[in-house]
Amino acid sequence: MASHGARGRSGGRPTLEEVAARAGVGRGTVSRVINGSPRVSDATRAAVEAAVAELGYVPNTAARALAANRTDAIALVVPEPETRFFAEPYFSDMLRGVGAELSDTEMQLLLIFAGSDRERQRLAQYLAAHRVDGVLLVSVHADDPLPDLLAQLEIPAVISGPRSATETLTSVDSDNYGGGRSAVEHLLSRGRRKIAHITGRLDVYGAQRRVDGYRDALRDAGRQVDELLIEPGDFTEEGGRRAMTTLLARHPDLDAVFAGSDVMAAGARQVLREAGVRIPDDVALVGYDDSAIARHMDPPLTSVRQPIEEMGRAMIDLLLTEIADRRPAMSRGLERRHAVLSTELEVRASS
Amino acid sequence: MASHGARGRSGGRPTLEEVAARAGVGRGTVSRVINGSPRVSDATRAAVEAAVAELGYVPNTAARALAANRTDAIALVVPEPETRFFAEPYFSDMLRGVGAELSDTEMQLLLIFAGSDRERQRLAQYLAAHRVDGVLLVSVHADDPLPDLLAQLEIPAVISGPRSATETLTSVDSDNYGGGRSAVEHLLSRGRRKIAHITGRLDVYGAQRRVDGYRDALRDAGRQVDELLIEPGDFTEEGGRRAMTTLLARHPDLDAVFAGSDVMAAGARQVLREAGVRIPDDVALVGYDDSAIARHMDPPLTSVRQPIEEMGRAMIDLLLTEIADRRPAMSRGLERRHAVLSTELEVRASS
DNA sequence: ATCACTGGTGGGAGCGCTCCCACAGTACCT
DNA sequence: AGGTACTGTGGGAGCGCTCCCACCAGTGAT
């Protein structure tokens, strides 16, 4: 008898059963009320809600997770060391959008860093244990095995910045192609004739798309694309400097530069300065990301802004849909969805 | 590794029971192996481990949480909007320490922001549901109800920066008193005679302690403490400017200023500049926090560094101890522990 | 009158684990 | 010989929930 139901009024947390007894209904009915099922009469619902309030009942998540086979949690996985996470406003903006969109739901967000091998090991274990219902993946490199792992474990996932044109995961992206186009179109409209492009790392799909936008904008304006005006960078300031140096040596008469990121634009600006080139008088400069750097540069940098916060929201929307879709039946016609949000050109003094 | 073998029946994840069958032992024995109990013979342990590997068994956390009444997760609660979290390196350093210390354990870290009322509401629900085994509290204001809520729910918690000398929660702090002392002693040793102090918000315990250190350092050096040399700030740049303006008007002949934060020191510096006061020639300046601001100021700012990362580690240590202590018996002599880590003065050109 | 239905409801049967008691085996005392 | 004290081990009894089937009115159609 000691081990049996001697816990009626003890200090422990109330259970569904106790709420049911208090409300004079069955366990199933309380469960329905808690989960917002419509199949409950108003009177019963009110009685149950009263009992819940009186007892201060809070559902036991572990029990629910076990019985229903879901966790009500999703993970935002950042395959980078924490340092970068804090350094780049990208993540902070993304997190804001994600948090906002999630605040209407019961879902809990986990932030997981997987920069080191050790951390990745832990993450793999974590995912294998199905401790989350879905995963948000940001900043993934082309050769990352994480997406495959997620597919194999059949965990719903949404990636920001698809890895290629044939991304298998549901993805959210900003319109890198359109962003590249708009930068170049802007420069053309300002009367620039010889526009160079410093690209990002070309194993990043988005960087490629910006190059595509650059090419097509010129082509559609009836210009010929001079491949020697396209110089690869690597998203770093140093890379921007190197590329600019090369370009300047090759084409001393260029009159505009479109850099694939603000950071690279900052590097380019230094080189231009040192060469005595005036911005924007001699050379117009346009960056990408519209980061703090752009606003604080001298002169302030025209830059392509991505709606990062909105991307965060969109990722959550897609992920929740995918989780919900998977719930009733494991099959279903899984057509992958890809959202693309448009960018905006922020025009400043540098162009 | 050989992954999926001929798994039980369905395609689902293997359970303890299946591992037990495969290894030819009972459920209890597998559980003991999984949980590292010493009461298992080497032969049996090996057999179980083999079965685990073959089946790719990963424990079901929900089931474990339900049965054992623990979650193996702790929360880092930041009662601030996310914006501040990203803006201040304090959090990033803290998180690094916490993450490092946690990486040896099975514990999962959750990051929870509770800046808005809405978010706090959710947090309260979350804690009431006991979804974490313990809580790390950073940056808590004196009148915050959160600590009481935690106490009431009997959730182990560690606070960084105790709210008062009689903090009821286990706490980790840096030696604000010693830090204040060392700043003043340094200025005295440099021959400064009239040292002003711009304090932080005095409802923050740490700020008070820095004032105490300021006072005692002067006193112990045989100086009299002039209360008019102590001017309250509020940790902001603007507050630093205001305080400096007041002080300068009151004591045009002061030759040193100890600011309770780098940010306030930056504000003070502006006022001194505008007044034509040279740093350090006319007035020596010392800040607190040793943040990026200090390193980049002109001239570089002498500042008191707090071992924030180490504080993060200490918080985890204390929290894990507290969680472990609570496990066997809910009673036990709960003596509160308070760790205080020492600071270090980083001397630069401003003093 | 019977036969569908419908909206509501109760409660059994698990989910996969930990806890703990029972008990076999061995070893070392009286 | 029996007693005592271990070390290992198996498995029953839950943990608190969700799912789902059974069931009970009522309501209208037949």
Side-chain angles (χ1 to χ4, degrees):
Chain A
M1 68 147 238
S3 59
H4 222 45
R7 61 184 311 293
R9 72 286 99 108
S10 75
R13 296 164 51 197
T15 69
L16 246 205
E17 193 94 45
E18 286 163 27
V19 174
R22 175 106 189 190
V25 301
R27 229 175 43 248
T29 301
V30 177
S31 177
R32 265 166 292 224
V33 172
I34 299 293
N35 293 290
S37 157
R39 311 198 144 296
V40 181
S41 72
D42 290 347
T44 309
R45 180 183 307 279
V48 170
E49 279 167 353
V52 165
E54 282 166 33
L55 297 176
Y57 171 75
V58 178
N60 179 319
T61 5
R64 171 177 288 172
L66 179 60
N69 195 32
R70 64 196 163 94
T71 63
D72 291 326
I74 64 173
L76 174 64
V77 172
V78 183
E80 305 276 351
E82 297 157 8
T83 330
R84 270 206 59 202
F85 181 78
F86 283 96
E88 296 186 24
Y90 177 89
F91 294 110
S92 149
D93 290 345
M94 172 75 55
L95 192 58
R96 184 169 319 113
V98 166
E101 197 68 13
L102 225 38
S103 72
D104 308 322
T105 72
E106 297 281 80
M107 282 282 180
Q108 167 68 14
L109 179 71
L110 310 188
L111 198 54
I112 302 187
F113 300 100
S116 66
D117 281 350
R118 179 108 175 262
E119 287 171 333
R120 296 187 80 96
Q121 202 77 25
R122 284 194 84 186
L123 174 60
Q125 274 286 307
Y126 197 81
L127 296 175
H130 285 262
R131 292 187 67 167
V132 287
D133 293 340
V135 169
L136 250 33
L137 225 41
V138 297
S139 175
V140 175
H141 292 287
D143 56 345
D144 198 306
L146 216 45
D148 294 334
L149 177 63
L150 287 166
Q152 188 192 318
L153 292 170
E154 300 189 46
I155 297 176
V158 175
I159 193 169
S160 90
R163 293 163 297 161
S164 74
T166 58
E167 176 61 63
T168 49
L169 250 39
T170 294
S171 74
V172 171
D173 203 1
S174 67
D175 182 8
N176 289 292
Y177 173 80
R181 265 194 92 102
S182 69
V184 174
E185 283 166 359
H186 162 72
L187 289 168
L188 287 171
S189 78
R190 286 283 207 266
R192 305 292 170 164
R193 322 207 45 94
K194 197 150 190 178
I195 304 171
H197 178 33
I198 300 175
T199 79
R201 284 180 39 186
L202 290 176
D203 59 338
V204 174
Y205 179 60
Q208 287 175 35
R209 294 298 289 153
R210 290 172 200 176
V211 181
D212 293 344
Y214 164 86
R215 282 211 179 85
D216 287 4
L218 289 177
R219 223 167 257 153
D220 291 359
R223 309 293 174 90
Q224 214 168 277
V225 177
D226 178 357
E227 290 297 329
L228 289 175
L229 276 169
I230 302 176
E231 183 64 23
D234 56 2
F235 284 126
T236 69
E237 191 165 343
E238 171 56 23
R241 274 196 295 267
R242 265 201 310 272
M244 193 67 247
T245 307
T246 306
L247 285 167
L248 216 46
R250 209 144 61 195
H251 297 281
D253 59 332
L254 55 81
D255 62 2
V257 176
F258 165 41
S261 80
D262 288 347
V263 173
M264 293 194 296
R269 193 206 66 134
Q270 287 174 28
V271 172
L272 290 172
R273 266 290 157 85
E274 286 159 17
V277 177
R278 291 168 305 166
I279 302 173
D281 315 295
D282 303 327
V283 170
L285 189 57
V286 174
Y288 209 105
D289 292 340
D290 191 32
S291 59
I293 298 172
R295 284 186 296 282
H296 294 134
M297 196 180 288
D298 173 32
L301 181 71
T302 294
S303 187
V304 180
R305 182 173 62 245
Q306 312 185 63
I308 299 176
E309 188 169 335
E310 209 180 309
M311 286 172 66
R313 305 181 95 99
M315 289 180 78
I316 291 293
D317 280 350
L318 288 174
L319 187 60
L320 292 183
T321 308
E322 203 149 307
I323 290 170
D325 280 0
R326 194 155 310 190
R327 222 93 103 176
M330 261 314 226
S331 47
R332 187 167 299 227
L334 295 170
E335 87 259 21
R336 294 295 172 201
R337 311 179 93 245
H338 302 278
V340 177
L341 305 183
S342 57
T343 60
E344 209 166 310
L345 188 71
E346 196 66 36
V347 179
R348 298 204 181 81
S350 74
S351 67
Chain B
M1 280 194 247
S3 332
H4 9 72
R7 187 161 290 166
R9 352 147 260 273
S10 64
R13 296 161 52 195
T15 68
L16 247 204
E17 194 92 45
E18 285 164 28
V19 173
R22 175 107 191 188
V25 300
R27 228 172 47 247
T29 301
V30 177
S31 177
R32 267 167 293 231
V33 171
I34 299 294
N35 293 289
S37 157
R39 312 197 143 297
V40 180
S41 72
D42 291 347
T44 308
R45 180 182 310 277
V48 171
E49 280 166 352
V52 165
E54 281 166 31
L55 296 175
Y57 171 75
V58 178
N60 179 320
T61 6
R64 171 178 288 173
L66 179 59
N69 196 30
R70 65 196 163 93
T71 64
D72 292 325
I74 65 173
L76 174 63
V77 172
V78 184
E80 305 276 353
E82 296 158 10
T83 331
R84 270 205 59 202
F85 182 77
F86 283 97
E88 296 185 25
Y90 178 89
F91 294 110
S92 146
D93 290 345
M94 171 76 53
L95 192 58
R96 185 169 318 115
V98 165
E101 197 69 11
L102 225 40
S103 71
D104 308 322
T105 72
E106 298 280 79
M107 283 280 181
Q108 167 69 13
L109 180 69
L110 310 187
L111 197 53
I112 302 185
F113 299 100
S116 67
D117 280 350
R118 179 109 175 261
E119 287 171 335
R120 294 186 80 96
Q121 202 78 23
R122 283 195 85 189
L123 173 60
Q125 274 287 309
Y126 197 81
L127 295 175
H130 285 261
R131 292 187 68 166
V132 287
D133 292 340
V135 168
L136 250 33
L137 226 41
V138 298
S139 174
V140 176
H141 293 286
D143 57 345
D144 199 305
L146 217 45
D148 293 334
L149 178 63
L150 288 166
Q152 188 192 317
L153 292 168
E154 301 190 45
I155 297 176
V158 176
I159 194 170
S160 90
R163 292 163 298 161
S164 73
T166 58
E167 176 61 63
T168 49
L169 251 40
T170 295
S171 74
V172 171
D173 203 1
S174 68
D175 182 8
N176 289 292
Y177 174 80
R181 266 195 90 103
S182 69
V184 175
E185 283 166 358
H186 162 73
L187 289 168
L188 287 171
S189 78
R190 287 284 207 263
R192 305 291 169 164
R193 322 207 44 96
K194 196 150 190 177
I195 304 171
H197 179 32
I198 301 176
T199 78
R201 285 179 40 186
L202 290 175
D203 59 338
V204 174
Y205 178 61
Q208 286 176 34
R209 295 296 291 153
R210 291 173 199 176
V211 181
D212 292 345
Y214 164 87
R215 284 211 178 85
D216 286 5
L218 289 177
R219 222 166 256 151
D220 290 0
R223 309 294 175 90
Q224 215 169 276
V225 177
D226 178 355
E227 291 298 328
L228 289 175
L229 276 169
I230 302 177
E231 184 64 23
D234 56 2
F235 283 127
T236 70
E237 191 164 343
E238 171 57 22
R241 273 195 296 267
R242 266 202 310 272
M244 193 68 247
T245 306
T246 306
L247 285 167
L248 216 46
R250 207 144 63 197
H251 297 282
D253 58 333
L254 56 80
D255 61 1
V257 176
F258 164 42
S261 80
D262 288 347
V263 174
M264 293 195 294
R269 193 208 66 134
Q270 288 174 28
V271 172
L272 291 171
R273 265 292 158 86
E274 285 158 16
V277 177
R278 291 168 304 167
I279 302 173
D281 315 84
D282 302 327
V283 170
L285 188 58
V286 174
Y288 209 103
D289 293 339
D290 192 31
S291 59
I293 298 172
R295 285 187 294 281
H296 294 133
M297 197 180 286
D298 172 33
L301 180 70
T302 294
S303 188
V304 179
R305 182 173 62 245
Q306 312 183 64
I308 299 176
E309 188 169 334
E310 209 181 308
M311 284 172 68
R313 306 181 95 100
M315 288 181 79
I316 291 294
D317 280 350
L318 288 174
L319 186 61
L320 292 182
T321 307
E322 205 150 305
I323 290 171
D325 279 2
R326 194 156 308 192
R327 222 93 105 174
M330 261 311 231
S331 48
R332 188 169 299 226
L334 293 171
E335 86 257 24
R336 296 295 173 202
R337 310 179 94 247
H338 302 280
V340 176
L341 305 183
S342 57
T343 61
E344 208 165 311
L345 188 72
E346 196 65 36
V347 179
R348 299 202 180 82
S350 74
S351 68

